[in-house]
């Protein structure tokens, strides 16, 4: 697949950001978030309406007026955003293949090719010249197209970005179909730093360079595994701690369990020298605090962590899933008191994040993995006026030992995006649990 860049420009907010909002301080959770750009790519089928980038730019400008930090620049010395309206980057490109050919290869897709559809390198963050939001619109030879949105994890999580994209799509769709450009997005709150003040904690290091991701350089590969609804039901049954129990673990925890077990087995199972491992799972806190943090800009998650030592034969699936579920439950329970405890809640969060960073650096931890679920997020609602996306994907983010789960469009199955270094991936796909998953594809 060959991608040709046609143009590159900055889209500024339609209205200037007021002086009172020019300085946006990031929160404690923003501080520890990885210094990476997170890509999300939306794919749309060919239709009788040509891709109108003019209307996309105009609607983007309108929505940036509300989501003003995305048009600013990050100041790493002060852990803040200068909301100077420099703008979000907008790239236009054309692709020499048909969209159908790309989508038909999904089960055997070399994920790194998707990185040609994103507008900036994953690791190009933290410099004042780096846009905090970048978009690439790629037109395929058949008339289909992809809209890739990269946002800096320094200031936004997936929930914030998807809300932004859906607001943009709604404004763009209304403008395209009816000429109405008066759509006003929902109001948003930009005071996360007041709720969870920063404390100059270091971020989770990505280990990435600022250059374009190249497999031969990073030697880290991403592979997509598809789990059907029936396969997930089977895994949930196997993951029960007590076979007599009527309650199964959740579909997300069960899938994390089966994939995490194989990853840990590959790394640390050793009959003569059992080794320690740590797994961190992000837990969205927006709907779990009291009161709920609706329309809150930024990173708002807790890190549920499991630390243990693998046995001679690795880890047992029921025990591992139970530990994952228990760690998430503890995080959810903490969510309910974070705001009501005020200063004590802030201290609790600070202590937990500080301990997490220390734990991952301990010498006895021989494997550290990061799990994130995109399930239940409204990824497939972004209709820019040409219908909803055929597929929503990530790209190859060369941070090893990560798993991202995404609902299939049908809602029943799950796509698991697993990233490992090349040698570990070869061992991973030959693990008996993974062979079982692959045999059912």
């Amino acid at each position: 697949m060959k991608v040709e860049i046609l143009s590159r420009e900055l889209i500024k907010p339609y209205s200037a950001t007021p002086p009172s909002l020019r300085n946006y301080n990031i929160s404690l959770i923003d501080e520890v978030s990885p210094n990476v750009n997170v890509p999300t790519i939306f794919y749309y089928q060919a239709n009788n309406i040509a891709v109108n980038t003019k209307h996309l730019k105009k609607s983007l400008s309108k929505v940036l007026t509300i989501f003003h930090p995305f048009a600013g620049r990050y100041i790493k010395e002060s852990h803040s955003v200068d909301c100077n309206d420099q703008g979000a980057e907008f790239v236009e490109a054309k692709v020499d293949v048909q969209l159908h050919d790309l989508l038909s290869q999904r089960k055997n897709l070399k994920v790194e090719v998707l990185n040609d559809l994103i507008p900036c390198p994953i690791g190009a963050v933290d410099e004042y010249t780096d846009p905090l939001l970048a978009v690439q619109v790629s037109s395929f030879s058949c008339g289909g197209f992809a809209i890739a949105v990269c946002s800096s994890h320094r200031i936004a999580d997936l929930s914030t970005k998807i809300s932004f994209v859906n607001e943009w799509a709604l404004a763009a769709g209304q403008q395209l179909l009816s000429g109405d450009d008066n759509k006003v997005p929902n109001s948003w709150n930009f005071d996360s730093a007041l709720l969870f003040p920063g404390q100059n904690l270091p971020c989770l290091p990505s280990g990435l360079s600022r250059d374009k991701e190249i497999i031969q350089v990073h030697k880290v590969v991403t592979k997509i595994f598809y789990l059907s609804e029936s396969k997930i039901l089977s895994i949930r049954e196997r993951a029960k701690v007590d076979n007599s129990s009527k309650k199964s673990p959740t579909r997300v925890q069960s899938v994390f369990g089966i994939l995490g077990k194989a990853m840990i087995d590959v790394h640390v199972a050793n009959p003569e020298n059992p080794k320690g491992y740590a797994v961190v799972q992000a837990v969205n806190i927006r709907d779990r605090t009291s009161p709920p943090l609706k329309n809150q800009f930024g990173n708002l998650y807790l890190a549920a962590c499991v630390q243990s030592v693998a046995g001679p034969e690795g880890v047992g699936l029921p025990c591992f899933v139970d530990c994952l579920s228990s760690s998430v439950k503890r995080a959810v329970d903490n969510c309910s008191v974070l705001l009501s405890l005020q200063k004590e809640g802030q201290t609790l969060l600070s202590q937990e994040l500080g301990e997490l960073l220390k734990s991952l650096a301990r010498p006895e931890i021989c494997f550290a993995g990061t799990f994130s679920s995109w399930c239940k997020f409204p990824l497939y609602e972004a209709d820019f006026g040409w219908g909803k996306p055929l597929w929503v994907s990530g790209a190859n983010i060369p941070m090893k030992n990560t798993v991202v789960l995404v609902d299939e469009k049908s809602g029943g199955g799950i796509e698991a995006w697993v990233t490992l270094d090349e040698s570990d991936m070869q061992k991973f796909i030959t693990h008996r649990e993974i062979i079982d998953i692959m045999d059912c594809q």
Side-chain angles (χ1 to χ4, degrees):
M1 182 175 75
K2 182 180 179 181
V3 178
E4 179 184 351
I5 301 299
L6 303 177
S7 66
R8 189 181 294 269
E9 64 181 291
L10 291 175
I11 305 298
K12 300 179 183 295
Y14 181 79
S15 300
T17 300
S20 61
L21 299 177
R22 283 287 298 262
N23 186 66
Y24 172 73
N25 292 316
I26 69 172
S27 73
L28 174 64
I29 306 174
D30 295 324
E31 282 184 354
V32 301
S33 297
N35 54 340
V36 296
N37 286 310
V38 180
T40 310
I41 311 174
F42 304 82
Y43 303 82
Y44 298 87
Q45 65 185 358
N47 50 60
N48 295 325
I49 305 174
V51 176
N52 187 341
T53 56
K54 182 177 180 180
H55 107 280
L56 289 177
K57 294 174 187 177
K58 186 175 181 180
S59 54
L60 176 59
S61 177
K62 299 281 276 189
V63 177
L64 282 173
T65 300
I66 301 298
F67 292 84
H68 58 276
F70 276 143
R73 295 296 182 268
Y74 181 63
I75 307 173
K76 57 186 175 183
E77 292 79 12
S78 61
H79 291 215
S80 65
V81 176
D82 180 5
C83 300
N84 54 16
D85 298 338
Q86 282 197 28
E89 191 167 49
F90 191 98
V91 179
E92 295 182 61
K94 67 177 182 179
V95 187
D96 66 347
V97 300
Q98 296 193 24
L99 177 59
H100 170 77
D101 292 337
L102 178 67
L103 298 186
S104 65
Q105 299 173 22
R106 278 188 289 171
K107 289 191 176 181
N108 298 297
L109 182 67
K110 291 184 177 180
V111 174
E112 58 268 24
V113 305
L114 301 181
N115 289 48
D116 289 331
L117 300 177
I118 65 177
C120 55
I122 303 294
V125 295
D126 281 2
E127 295 299 328
Y128 189 77
T129 53
D130 296 326
L132 295 173
L133 181 82
V135 173
Q136 180 169 318
V137 180
S138 302
S139 300
F140 291 84
S141 60
C142 59
F145 61 99
I147 298 178
V149 182
C150 282
S151 57
S152 171
H153 213 329
R154 274 305 200 187
I155 66 165
D157 57 14
L158 180 73
S159 182
T160 297
K161 177 167 69 173
I162 294 303
S163 295
F164 167 82
V165 170
N166 286 338
E167 291 280 11
W168 176 28
L170 182 59
Q174 289 186 350
Q175 182 182 319
L176 181 66
L177 299 178
S178 66
D180 176 14
D181 60 358
N182 295 317
K183 160 65 181 157
V184 178
N186 295 321
S187 61
W188 275 69
N189 300 312
F190 298 90
D191 58 355
S192 294
L194 295 179
L195 301 174
F196 309 112
Q199 297 187 15
N200 294 320
L201 289 179
C203 68
L204 289 168
S206 67
L208 302 182
S209 71
R210 296 177 52 81
D211 299 324
K212 179 177 172 59
E213 303 74 39
I214 301 174
I215 291 293
Q216 291 77 7
V217 173
H218 294 286
K219 299 188 182 301
V220 174
V221 63
T222 301
K223 184 173 176 59
I224 311 171
F225 297 87
Y226 295 86
L227 292 91
S228 66
E229 186 173 12
S230 60
K231 170 54 64 175
I232 295 171
L233 286 172
S234 173
I235 296 171
R236 292 179 69 184
E237 284 297 309
R238 290 179 50 208
K240 288 182 179 179
V241 174
D242 182 354
N243 289 331
S244 64
S245 173
K246 294 182 179 180
K247 185 176 181 180
S248 299
T250 67
R251 60 199 288 270
V252 165
Q253 297 307 126
S254 299
V255 173
F256 276 147
I258 202 79
L259 298 172
K261 168 181 167 50
M263 292 168 71
I264 294 168
D265 288 352
V266 164
H267 280 84
V268 299
N270 187 329
E272 297 180 358
N273 183 24
K275 297 179 180 179
Y277 65 85
V279 172
V280 178
Q281 181 178 340
V283 178
N284 186 11
I285 72 175
R286 282 178 172 79
D287 295 328
R288 293 170 168 140
T289 56
S290 181
L293 293 171
K294 299 288 188 180
N295 292 349
Q296 189 79 34
F297 190 92
N299 288 285
L300 287 166
Y301 61 87
L302 292 184
C305 186
V306 172
Q307 294 184 56
S308 189
V309 176
E313 302 300 323
V315 297
L317 179 63
C319 180
F320 183 51
V321 171
D322 184 57
C323 288
L324 287 173
S325 301
S326 297
S327 68
V328 169
K329 183 180 184 304
R330 286 193 297 271
V332 170
D333 290 342
N334 285 339
C335 288
S336 63
V337 299
L338 278 179
L339 298 182
S340 61
L341 290 178
Q342 297 181 340
K343 290 291 185 181
E344 291 181 30
Q346 296 168 7
T347 301
L348 172 65
L349 177 60
S350 175
Q351 289 175 341
E352 290 199 348
L353 291 175
E355 283 300 315
L356 171 64
L357 294 171
K358 291 178 183 177
S359 296
L360 297 178
R362 287 173 181 159
E364 65 268 24
I365 299 298
C366 297
F367 170 84
T370 305
F371 294 172
S372 182
S373 173
W374 292 11
C375 296
K376 296 185 178 180
F377 283 98
L379 299 174
Y380 284 92
E381 297 302 311
D383 182 351
F384 289 86
W386 304 290
K388 295 182 179 181
L390 300 175
W391 188 41
V392 179
S393 81
N396 177 42
I397 303 178
M399 294 174 62
K400 65 181 182 178
N401 304 335
T402 64
V403 179
V404 177
L405 302 186
V406 186
D407 281 323
E408 286 194 296
K409 188 173 183 179
S410 64
I414 287 177
E415 297 177 1
W417 293 62
V418 179
T419 303
L420 299 167
D421 66 36
E422 287 183 306
S423 59
D424 288 335
M425 182 63 79
Q426 292 303 314
K427 300 173 185 176
F428 179 80
I429 61 177
T430 59
H431 190 283
R432 59 186 181 278
E433 301 285 10
I434 304 307
I435 290 174
D436 181 46
I437 292 173
M438 296 176 71
D439 285 346
C440 293
Q441 294 182 17

